[in-house]
């Protein structure tokens, strides 16, 4: 099947998508966007989290054909050209990126949290927002610190 959709602001057409092909596979292998990671393929780890029509979803659980006519935003789409999103910058500054496998999904989930909240969210709110994302390297402290830092910077600039 042919899938026409918008990815990171760019109209895309992908041909020969088979019925069982995931949106994650379409994005990584057919669109050349390797940011979202393929880890569990069961929606358990959150490494493949992307926005689908503005809602965070696990791309491994969405059939590629379901993207027809819709809008997808990946971790690559959060940056403004070569300039990282402030949340991406905060992850780097705080050492929240270690092996990097979980990072794209964590950043998309945290980006969604910061888009929905005013000011700096409390730690329990951050932890709840990131609960669907598993990390085996950081122990989450640097990740939470990065979200706090990005939120504080956002509050100051608003």
């Amino acid at each position: 099947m042919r899938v026409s959709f918008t990815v990171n602001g760019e109209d895309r057409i992908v041909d020969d998508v088979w019925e069982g092909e995931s949106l994650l596979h379409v994005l990584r292998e057919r669109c050349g966007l390797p940011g979202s990671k393929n880890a569990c393929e069961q929606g358990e780890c959150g490494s493949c989290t992307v926005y689908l029509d503005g809602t965070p979803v696990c791309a491994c659980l969405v059939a590629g054909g379901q993207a027809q006519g819709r809008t997808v935003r990946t971790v690559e789409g959060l940056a403004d050209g070569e300039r990282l999103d402030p949340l991406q910058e905060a992850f780097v500054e705080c050492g929240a990126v270690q092996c990097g496998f979980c990072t794209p999904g964590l950043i998309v989930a945290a980006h969604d949290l910061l888009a929905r909240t005013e000011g700096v969210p409390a730690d329990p709110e951050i932890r709840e927002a990131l609960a669907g994302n598993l990390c085996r390297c950081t122990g989450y402290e640097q990740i939470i610190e990065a979200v706090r830092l990005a939120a504080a910077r956002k509050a100051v600039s608003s």
Side-chain angles (χ1 to χ4, degrees), residues 46-66:
S47 294
C48 65
T49 304
V50 299
Y51 284 111
L52 181 61
D53 290 338
T55 301
V57 298
C58 289
C60 71
L61 297 180
V62 177
Q66 289 180 286

Side-chain angles (χ1 to χ4, degrees), residues 108-136:
V108 172
H111 186 271
D112 180 62
L113 169 67
L114 297 184
R116 295 182 285 110
T117 58
E118 299 273 332
V120 179
D123 285 2
E125 191 175 4
I126 295 170
R127 289 180 190 280
E128 182 177 340
L130 302 180
N133 299 80
L134 302 178
C135 176
R136 300 175 93 182

Side-chain angles (χ1 to χ4, degrees), residues 71-92:
T71 300
V72 175
R73 189 172 183 197
T74 68
V75 69
E76 293 97 337
L78 298 181
D80 183 12
E82 294 295 315
R83 184 165 183 239
L84 294 177
D85 180 86
L87 184 59
Q88 292 169 316
E89 290 176 351
F91 263 66
V92 172

